[in-house]
Amino acid sequence: MRAGETAGSEARARYERIYHTLRDRICLLDYPPGMRLREEDLAAEFATSRTPVRRVLARLEDEGLLRSVHGVGTIVTDIEIDDLQQVYQLRVELAELFGRVAPNVPGPEEMRQYRSLLARCEELVRKPDAREFARLNMEFFHLFTQLTANEPLRAISERLYYQTTRIWLKTASRLAAYEDMLLNEIHVFQREMTDIVAAIECGNLLAAGHIRRAHIAMSFARLYAAAHPEGASAAPI
Amino acid sequence: MRAGETAGSEARARYERIYHTLRDRICLLDYPPGMRLREEDLAAEFATSRTPVRRVLARLEDEGLLRSVHGVGTIVTDIEIDDLQQVYQLRVELAELFGRVAPNVPGPEEMRQYRSLLARCEELVRKPDAREFARLNMEFFHLFTQLTANEPLRAISERLYYQTTRIWLKTASRLAAYEDMLLNEIHVFQREMTDIVAAIECGNLLAAGHIRRAHIAMSFARLYAAAHPEGASAAPI
DNA sequence: ATGAAGCCTGATGTACACATCATCACGTCG
DNA sequence: CGACGTGATGATGTGTACATCAGGCTTCAT
């Protein structure tokens, strides 16, 4: 809900609520790739009819998270790291635009949230948990987007982020060295946040964008390597 | 329709047809800003019920071209050059990515299309027509997007393009120096196409992106100046 | 026993009746 | 005479029955 926007009907609010709920479930793998969602079940859960649910599903389909097939069902799309290379490449380029295009210096409240995330990250090092890590990553992303005042850039980055974020949980869950990978990712993430907060505190938002860019690219490279164990070829980004 | 995609049902095809038809009408000002669309009229025109129409309208609303208000109607959004500054700024940055990210060298067929557009542009110089100019601009845009093989970049650029393209027709139609502005824009557009084709023929896709970037920025500046006649401040891009 | 044809089930897609909401015109009251 | 309240009207939002479609299971013929 954007500030300053007309409160509007509560119908819109319910629509947004269902949308965010389903999107989170898909991206946290509560709805794993390939799972079939029944519109009537969702309608029952949200105490409504199929009609509003279908609008949400249509949007999630436009965004590439779902695929409705007549006579079959509404299916959570599967993702492969190879198919996401283009999206990652674009995310890498866009990361640099934060802090360069319409830079928006964070206020005290936002800095407090950054520190809160860092604290939760330290907690996570002691008790690693993939799902909590994914959530933390998500919240950090939303905080990071506020580095720019450019609304379309925020919206587009969000769209691309949610197209890719599942791949980490999916890849990790299949791996033998699951625990090691998780702990490593948490440490890397901790360093990324620390560095970005440091850059912001210096007032150097451009640097924050560059750090973010590097980490997105490296994250892709690690996922690519994990999915291609004997791959002689390096990650294409 | 992406190549290699399952042909799918004809229901999907009809959905796409309605979507593209309405989007073109909005962007060519057949449906001017503020106009109210009646879902039943549209349903009757496309020989279907309100349900499929509503799905199209929902998508156009997500893309910012429409706004549905309960009890009032579905209204074509109004646009002001000042509100589009952020979108233009992002388009400027994205333009540079074409030809740099996943460059896709045009084949003979595409070069033929470029030359066809140039020929139609020369024709347009002799018989200026705002609507035809807008159409030509649109077709050129689609051709230009093929400079990259990065599908998400294409999709996002298209979304942003259709959010902004109406502003030219709207601004021009209100201006006293309408004829002069139109002819000038056509000449500028002719030069832009000529330069970009030249860059492509040199195999320098990066240059094509830079030219495009410059022209998007200048186009915004001209529109901004036209909308702020006594504006002491320069265009913010 | 095996293969194919056809039905049966359950899903999404469509159509339509109804609910809800905003606007405007009209009438009534101060 | 003006202003406020109320109902008519027409729009979108919702709920639901039905149409359409795909896939699996059964059944019959070979």
Side-chain angles (χ1 to χ4, degrees), chain A residues 158-217:
Chain A
E158 186 174 325
R159 195 184 170 103
L160 297 176
Y161 174 80
Y162 281 102
Q163 276 177 20
T164 57
T165 189
R166 286 181 293 159
I167 193 67
W168 191 90
L169 279 175
K170 187 197 166 195
T171 304
S173 67
R174 287 184 171 185
L175 236 57
Y178 171 77
E179 302 286 345
D180 292 343
M181 183 179 181
L182 173 57
L183 195 59
N184 182 49
E185 289 291 329
I186 294 173
H187 277 127
V188 171
F189 178 57
Q190 197 177 24
R191 291 205 308 274
E192 176 183 359
M193 277 210 295
T194 305
D195 287 349
I196 286 181
V197 168
I200 293 173
E201 282 173 342
C202 290
N204 194 339
L205 299 192
L206 267 133
H210 287 135
I211 295 165
R212 179 74 178 154
R213 176 191 171 122
H215 275 277
I216 292 174

Side-chain angles (χ1 to χ4, degrees), chain A residues 75-112:
Chain A
I75 297 151
V76 178
T77 53
D78 198 4
I79 49 174
E80 294 295 335
I81 187 69
D82 299 88
D83 303 329
L84 290 182
Q85 185 250 326
Q86 292 188 331
V87 185
Y88 264 98
Q89 191 164 10
L90 190 52
R91 284 191 58 200
V92 163
E93 299 291 339
L94 289 184
E96 227 177 297
L97 299 184
F98 287 89
R100 195 179 94 209
V101 171
N104 184 29
V105 180
E109 169 58 19
E110 278 156 325
M111 295 316 295
R112 200 189 57 75

Side-chain angles (χ1 to χ4, degrees), chain B residues 7-26:
Chain B
S9 56
E10 61 191 75
R12 183 90 44 157
R14 176 173 64 181
Y15 164 74
E16 293 283 344
R17 196 181 102 249
I18 298 177
Y19 168 74
H20 283 109
T21 303
L22 294 187
R23 191 181 63 175
D24 279 1
R25 286 181 186 171
I26 293 171

Side-chain angles (χ1 to χ4, degrees), chain A residues 9 12 15 51 54-55 58-59 61-62 67-70 85-87 89-90 93-94 96-97 100-102 149-153 156 159-160 163 213, chain B residues 9 12 15 51 54-55 58-59 61-62 67-70 85-87 89-90 93-94 96-97 100-102 149-153 156 159-160 163 213:
Chain A
S9 56
R12 183 89 45 155
Y15 164 75
T51 309
R54 279 179 60 76
R55 182 175 171 174
R59 177 167 168 191
E61 186 175 0
D62 284 339
R67 199 178 95 249
S68 282
V69 184
H70 191 176
Q85 185 250 326
Q86 292 188 331
V87 185
Q89 191 164 10
L90 190 52
E93 299 291 339
L94 289 184
E96 227 177 297
L97 299 184
R100 195 179 94 209
V101 171
N150 191 301
E151 191 57 45
L153 177 56
I156 281 172
R159 195 184 170 103
L160 297 176
Q163 276 177 20
R213 176 191 171 122
Chain B
S9 56
R12 183 90 44 157
Y15 164 74
T51 308
R54 279 180 60 77
R55 180 174 172 174
R59 177 166 169 192
E61 186 175 0
D62 284 338
R67 199 179 92 250
S68 282
V69 183
H70 192 176
Q85 185 250 327
Q86 291 188 331
V87 185
Q89 191 164 8
L90 189 53
E93 299 292 340
L94 290 183
E96 228 177 295
L97 299 184
R100 194 179 94 208
V101 172
N150 191 299
E151 190 58 44
L153 177 55
I156 281 170
R159 195 183 170 103
L160 296 175
Q163 276 179 19
R213 176 189 172 122

Side-chain angles (χ1 to χ4, degrees), chain B residues 33-48:
Chain B
M35 179 174 177
R36 286 215 319 236
L37 305 182
R38 281 182 19 91
E39 295 180 350
E40 282 198 55
D41 289 349
L42 294 174
E45 178 187 344
F46 293 104
T48 179

Side-chain angles (χ1 to χ4, degrees), chain B residues 128-130 168 172 175-186:
Chain B
D129 176 76
W168 191 90
L175 237 58
Y178 172 76
E179 301 286 344
D180 293 343
M181 182 178 182
L182 173 58
L183 194 60
N184 182 50
E185 289 291 329
I186 294 174

